[in-house]
Structures are given as C-alpha cells and as structure tokens.
Amino acid sequence: MTDTATLIKPSPAAIGPDGNPRSFYVRTLGCQMNVHDSERITGSLLAAGYVEAQTEDADVIVINTCAVRENAANKLYGNLGQLASRKREHEGMQIAVGGCLAQMEQNKIIERAPQVDVVFGTHNMGSLPTLLERARHNAEAEIELLEALETFPSTLPTKRESTYSGWVSISVGCNNTCTFCIVPALRGKEKDRRPGEILKEVQALVDQGAIEVTLLGQNVNSYGVEFGDRQAFSKLLRACGEIEGLERVRFTSPHPAGFTDDVIDAMAETPNVMPQLHMPLQSGSDRVLRAMRRSYRSKKFLGILDRVREKMPHASITTDLIVGFPGETEEDFQDTLRVVEASRFSSAFTFQYSIREGTPAATMADQIPKEVVQERFERLVALQKRISLEENQALVGTTQQVMVAADEGKKDEATHRLTGRAEDNRLVHFSVPEGSATPRPGDIVTVEITRGAPSYLVADDPSGAPLRIRRTRSGDAWDAAQAESCGAPTGGASEGSAVSLGLPTLRIGAPGAPSKWQ
C-alpha cells in the first residue's frame, strides 16, 4: 500500500439553492488520531467545494466519533438529539456521523437517530462528499462502511489545525489483541507507510512553517514489522533528526511489550526528539495484565522506565491506567498503586473500566461493582495528583524552553498570561511583563519556573524583565494566518491552494487542544 494522492472532485451538493457554497462544521470526539482524521475530513470537504464554518450554525454537521469508552455512545446520541430540533428549523441541513463508533454501530445509528443523513467509517473518510451528495439527491440516509483500508488516509486533502505543529501518521490499525480494546476491530490490522513517504510529509510541514511534528500510530514501536524491519521506528526518529528546521519531534503511542533499546538510544541521541514518553501501563498487577492480554509484566515496564531515565534523566513520562478491570481484587489494585508510586509519572490518563460490546472482557466473569471502581479510581487519582504535584514542584527554579501555543490556556485572558509547552510537553503558563514584546504562537520563550501545580507549571518573573523570545518561522506562519483571516493577503498561498496532501494550511489552533465535545 503506497501513498498516491486521492482526488476529491467538486460536488454539486456543495452549492446551495442560492448559488453560494454550503458550510460545514466538524465536531471531534476522542483521541489524537481522531483529531488528525478530522483534519482530513475538513480537507476533503473543502476540496469538494464546501466552506468551513467557525460556529455550529452550518449546513452540514459532521461528528467524528470515538468508541473507546461506553459513554462515547451516550455522548454521540446526546449530541444528535440536540441537532434534531436544529435540523427541523434549518432547511437542507445534513448530519454525518463517522469514525470508530460509526464503524461499530453502523445501521443502529440511523435506527436510533433517523435525523442522520450519512454514516461513514474509519476506512472511507474521503467518501464523505460523495455520500452527502447521494443522500441529498436520493432524500434518504446513506451508510457506507468498508471492512478494510484500501488507501492510506494520508493521501486525502488535509486542512491542518496548526501553523506550528502537525500530526503525521506512520501507520494505521493495530495487531494487538488487548481484551478490553475495541480499536483493532474498528481500525483493522496494522498497515505501515513507507519511511520515504512519511519523511516527505514531515518535510512538507516544515516547509510550510511547522517546527514540531508528532508521529502517530496505534502502536508506533511496531512500525516496520509489515515490511520486515524491526528497527524501522528508531531509524525513522533518527531520520527526522536530519530535517533542517524541525525542532521538536514527538510520538504516540508505543507499547511496552515491544519498546526496545534502539528506540531509547534514538530518542537520547537525536537532539530534536523531545524528552517525553507516553507509555501505557493500564495495570500494575501481573495477573490483571495477563487477563488484559498485555504481553509484558510490571517488572519489565519499570525496567523500561529505568533505561529511559538512565539515558534521559529529565524525561517526562506519562501513562494510561484502567481501574476496575473484571476480576480486579484489592490486592491487584494495590499492585497498581505500588507501580504508579515507583514510576513517578508526570501525569496519567486514568479511566474506569468500561464494557465495550464485542471485546473479550465484556463477557468476563466478576465485573466489578460501580461503587468499588469509583472508590479505587478516587484513590488512584489522589495518588497520581500528589506525584504530579511533587514532580512539577521539583522544577521550580529551572529554565524551560516553551513553544507558545494558541488557545491552550483556558484562563489566559483572566490571568493575563500566555501558555505553551516545554520540551518535555508540560503545560506552562507564563506572564508577559508590561512593556515586553508579546510572542506569537510558534515562537519560543525562555522562562524560569516559579510555581508547580499538579497539571501545569507557572513562570511569573517578579523582576518584570522583558520576556526572552526567539521568533520562529512558525510564528511568521501564524502572522500570515492572521493576515489571511482578516482578508489581507500576505503573498503566500491563495485561498484556493490552502488544501493539499500533507501540507499544513494557515489556521490558528493547536493539535491536541481539547475539544469542548471531548
């Protein structure tokens, strides 16, 4: 399977009865992969002739869904219920549902929400313009779901969410068989892109002004198995280190079972690979890990962290944790608390186990009562909150290089601060002293940390000295985006050239910034 650009033809359905282009709005629920998929959905609709709305008052609403947790379905149908009344008042409005939950629910979505016009899955995002056109012409719902991927989604037109940072998929699908996870059934078996195609996309991002990329895959460190190179991922990291102008490389997510020393060495020896690692633990109990079909044990997991910290002492390590997996005893849970204490994660995404129909765990005996799961969850969250606070307080007095972000700080306006990400991906809120120049999103500021909280760092310079700012190409690209959005061309790409394969366009935003629908 290779990358060959997918052509999206102009769609008659993109033009309204008044002769003007119809508008669309994409809601994204779920993970980074979904955020990146939404960039492709947006790019495909733009290429078909639709225009993107900045609010939900649009002719077409697309919901890109997640299926990882049970409440994902509740969230989807709640959103669809809200849209039903709006559709009755908005003549010609269409609703499309795509993503993992669409792949799983299929016809059930139309049965439960007849106001939906289109259902599409994880393997045919580029079909959305055609499906909207067909549904409009036939005046009935269109459902199209493919069982396997026919072409890489990376071949679709892409409307990048950020001028300074971008997602790059290196693989799709997953070959693991974790008993709690529905994703392999919905995304399919792992398919790897060729290294040259990935590096071309990274270079294209850099050429357009990005200084940071995040390599995406369901299991990035298994990359290369499909074409017979078990060290392909470490080689890819080193190759990214050769790209001039690329300052920050991240990746997510690896799997502990196949996380090898060549990857650790590549991280430590490639200057632009950031000292950050997201390593999903899920449980600290070996018995539970076995029941989850996670092919590692707690000793191996802790050994990985030791080797990472030996090579990168200041690395920030985050994780995923599941509480209340079927059959989990208090002894099992105590093992999780022990491993979390030993791991010293800077943060953790902690979840209560959720039954997913179609997974082996859904039919396991000894499902844990909700009240027990809740009590354990609260204890685990309290432990990790304490550890996160201690780890962040230990950084007070250190100097951090922070890439300024757009819209990541929810209280920036009230606190008169700006927000960005340190090299280890910690969130940093920093003040802009009176009289200081103001950095742009994508610029780098050098700050001293003055306070640590459980989920962020603060840098308030009491001396009032001007910020130390390094202006970057990404900041220049952000300036151009601002000028373009105000209708003042800057001599760069025209509106018509804003969507292209693998190229970021000038739109303000940050990959990974939480959606209000998450």
Side-chain angles (χ1 to χ4, degrees):
M1 187 180 293
T2 59
D3 283 15
T4 302
T6 300
L7 178 65
I8 304 291
K9 297 179 180 179
S11 170
I15 305 301
D18 59 359
N20 291 320
R22 299 173 72 215
S23 61
F24 71 93
Y25 185 88
V26 180
R27 295 182 181 177
T28 305
L29 311 175
C31 66
Q32 298 98 324
M33 193 72 74
N34 273 23
V35 173
H36 190 27
D37 285 348
S38 289
E39 293 181 330
R40 296 172 180 135
I41 292 169
T42 298
S44 297
L45 291 172
L46 290 170
Y50 293 86
V51 295
E52 186 176 11
Q54 299 305 309
T55 69
E56 296 170 37
D57 185 20
D59 300 309
V60 177
I61 298 290
V62 183
I63 305 180
N64 188 17
T65 63
C66 171
V68 170
R69 299 188 50 73
E70 186 178 20
N71 67 358
N74 298 333
K75 191 173 295 185
L76 168 65
Y77 290 112
N79 287 340
L80 291 176
Q82 295 170 15
L83 290 174
S85 58
R86 189 182 308 168
K87 185 177 181 180
R88 288 192 291 269
E89 299 168 359
H90 188 143
E91 185 177 355
M93 178 180 170
Q94 290 182 292
I95 301 171
V97 177
C100 288
L101 194 62
Q103 189 79 24
M104 183 171 75
E105 295 275 280
Q106 303 191 6
N107 293 355
K108 293 180 184 177
I109 292 176
I110 301 297
E111 294 169 4
R112 290 186 58 177
Q115 66 270 30
V116 172
D117 299 277
V118 171
V119 177
F120 64 104
T122 55
H123 302 313
N124 64 328
M125 289 177 287
S127 299
L128 179 57
T130 300
L131 295 172
L132 288 169
E133 181 180 341
R134 199 183 301 161
R136 190 180 185 192
H137 179 272
N138 297 336
E140 64 180 18
E142 290 290 330
I143 303 174
E144 182 177 286
L145 300 128
L146 303 182
E147 292 303 314
L149 195 68
E150 295 179 348
T151 183
F152 275 113
S154 302
T155 66
L156 293 170
T158 303
K159 175 70 182 295
R160 297 286 182 176
E161 285 288 329
S162 172
T163 59
Y164 49 86
S165 179
W167 310 108
V168 176
S169 288
I170 69 171
S171 63
V172 292
C174 181
N175 293 338
N176 293 317
T177 57
C178 302
T179 55
F180 57 83
C181 186
I182 193 67
V183 170
L186 305 178
R187 293 269 181 182
K189 292 291 186 181
E190 181 176 326
K191 296 291 182 183
D192 295 332
R193 296 175 70 192
R194 300 298 301 185
E197 292 161 351
I198 296 167
L199 293 170
K200 280 196 323 189
E201 185 176 350
V202 173
Q203 184 66 63
L205 279 163
V206 173
D207 290 345
Q208 290 293 310
I211 60 174
E212 177 182 80
V213 298
T214 301
L215 305 176
L216 282 180
Q218 300 297 148
N219 181 7
V220 291
N221 52 277
S222 69
Y223 171 73
V225 171
E226 190 183 31
F227 52 83
D229 186 351
R230 293 187 176 276
Q231 294 193 351
F233 185 60
S234 61
K235 293 175 183 177
L236 183 64
L237 291 178
R238 292 182 186 276
C240 286
E242 299 297 319
I243 296 177
E244 186 175 353
L246 179 58
E247 299 187 17
R248 297 186 174 199
V249 177
R250 306 186 190 278
F251 59 87
T252 194
S253 290
H255 191 291
F259 198 75
T260 49
D261 287 348
D262 63 294
V263 175
I264 298 173
D265 291 340
M267 292 176 65
E269 295 166 9
T270 308
N272 64 355
V273 175
M274 293 293 94
Q276 171 217 348
L277 178 65
H278 184 75
M279 183 61 70
L281 171 62
Q282 307 302 3
S283 174
S285 162
D286 289 350
R287 194 186 67 82
V288 171
L289 288 172
R290 190 177 298 110
M292 288 178 166
R293 213 177 287 158
R294 301 283 288 180
S295 48
Y296 58 88
R297 301 295 175 256
S298 58
K299 182 178 180 180
K300 175 170 182 167
F301 184 92
L302 291 170
I304 291 171
L305 304 197
D306 288 342
R307 294 197 300 278
V308 169
R309 286 174 171 140
E310 180 183 355
K311 294 294 181 76
M312 293 172 286
H314 303 297
S316 168
I317 301 176
T318 57
T319 198
D320 296 330
L321 297 163
I322 296 175
V323 178
F325 187 80
E328 179 190 76
T329 64
E330 176 62 25
E331 183 180 358
D332 293 324
F333 180 66
Q334 287 295 328
D335 284 341
T336 294
L337 296 179
R338 172 184 58 79
V339 175
V340 168
E341 184 76 69
S343 298
R344 305 298 297 179
F345 299 117
S346 58
S347 66
F349 296 94
T350 306
F351 305 96
Q352 298 184 31
Y353 170 73
S354 175
I355 293 176
R356 303 313 292 135
E357 185 180 344
T359 63
T363 57
M364 286 182 177
D366 300 323
Q367 301 285 332
I368 310 299
K370 170 66 178 175
E371 61 272 16
V372 175
V373 177
Q374 181 66 36
E375 190 273 337
R376 290 176 184 170
F377 176 79
E378 291 172 2
R379 275 191 280 161
L380 180 56
V381 168
L383 171 62
Q384 182 55 53
K385 186 175 182 180
R386 172 179 63 78
I387 294 170
S388 296
L389 177 61
E390 291 169 354
E391 293 295 303
N392 283 350
Q393 286 178 334
L395 294 174
V396 172
T398 64
T399 298
Q400 302 290 331
Q401 303 293 316
V402 177
M403 186 170 75
V404 184
D407 303 325
E408 280 216 61
K410 297 178 181 178
K411 299 180 180 179
D412 281 353
E413 188 173 344
T415 59
H416 305 290
R417 294 188 179 106
L418 295 179
T419 296
R421 294 279 175 179
E423 290 183 338
D424 65 6
N425 209 40
R426 282 181 167 91
L427 194 67
V428 181
H429 304 298
F430 61 93
S431 59
V432 181
E434 186 175 350
S436 173
T438 300
R440 307 159 300 177
D443 284 342
I444 303 294
V445 296
T446 302
V447 299
E448 182 177 322
I449 303 305
T450 55
R451 181 165 67 89
S455 57
Y456 59 85
L457 302 171
V458 174
D460 288 339
D461 187 348
S463 73
L467 275 176
R468 290 176 283 174
I469 303 170
R470 177 166 63 83
R471 293 171 66 87
T472 67
R473 294 177 303 102
S474 290
D476 295 341
W478 191 86
D479 271 348
Q482 290 290 87
E484 185 174 318
S485 67
C486 295
T490 59
S494 68
E495 186 70 24
S497 65
V499 182
S500 56
L501 172 63
L503 297 180
T505 56
L506 304 178
R507 177 182 169 194
I508 301 167
S515 162
K516 65 178 179 178
W517 298 103
Q518 289 182 318

